[in-house]
Amino acid sequence: LSDKSIDSLRVKIGKDSKMPFLGTAKDFVYPDSLFFDTRFHLTGAGRALRTVRMIDILREAGTREGWLSQNSGR
């Protein structure tokens, strides 16, 4: 899937969902060198980068939306 099709699906689902969508498709694009056999299986280094990025996105949203204290985290 392309990032445009993922984002259009996100908009379509988001209209009927109360669940927030955090980040974008582009937030989780990584170089081929971080995958070990398919586009779905990140290497250890790739998983570590993805985890840090997801934590950052959750912290940004939590601080912005008020469910995470400004003093929490890094």
Side-chain angles (χ1 to χ4, degrees):
L1 291 171
S2 71
D3 58 333
K4 288 181 184 181
S5 63
I6 291 170
D7 287 337
S8 68
L9 181 60
R10 175 184 161 163
V11 169
K12 190 180 234 183
I13 293 171
K15 291 178 183 178
D16 299 324
S17 176
K18 293 182 182 183
M19 179 181 68
F21 285 85
L22 304 177
T24 66
K26 289 182 180 181
D27 287 325
F28 297 100
V29 174
Y30 299 99
D32 290 345
S33 62
L34 293 177
F35 293 86
F36 70 87
D37 64 351
T38 70
R39 63 184 173 145
F40 302 109
H41 297 136
L42 289 166
T43 63
R47 289 189 305 271
L49 287 172
R50 184 183 183 283
T51 298
V52 169
R53 182 64 186 130
M54 180 57 78
I55 290 169
D56 289 342
I57 288 171
L58 289 168
R59 282 188 177 138
E60 290 167 11
T63 301
R64 183 179 60 247
E65 299 296 324
W67 45 267
L68 181 66
S69 167
Q70 292 281 349
N71 297 324
S72 297
R74 297 184 218 172

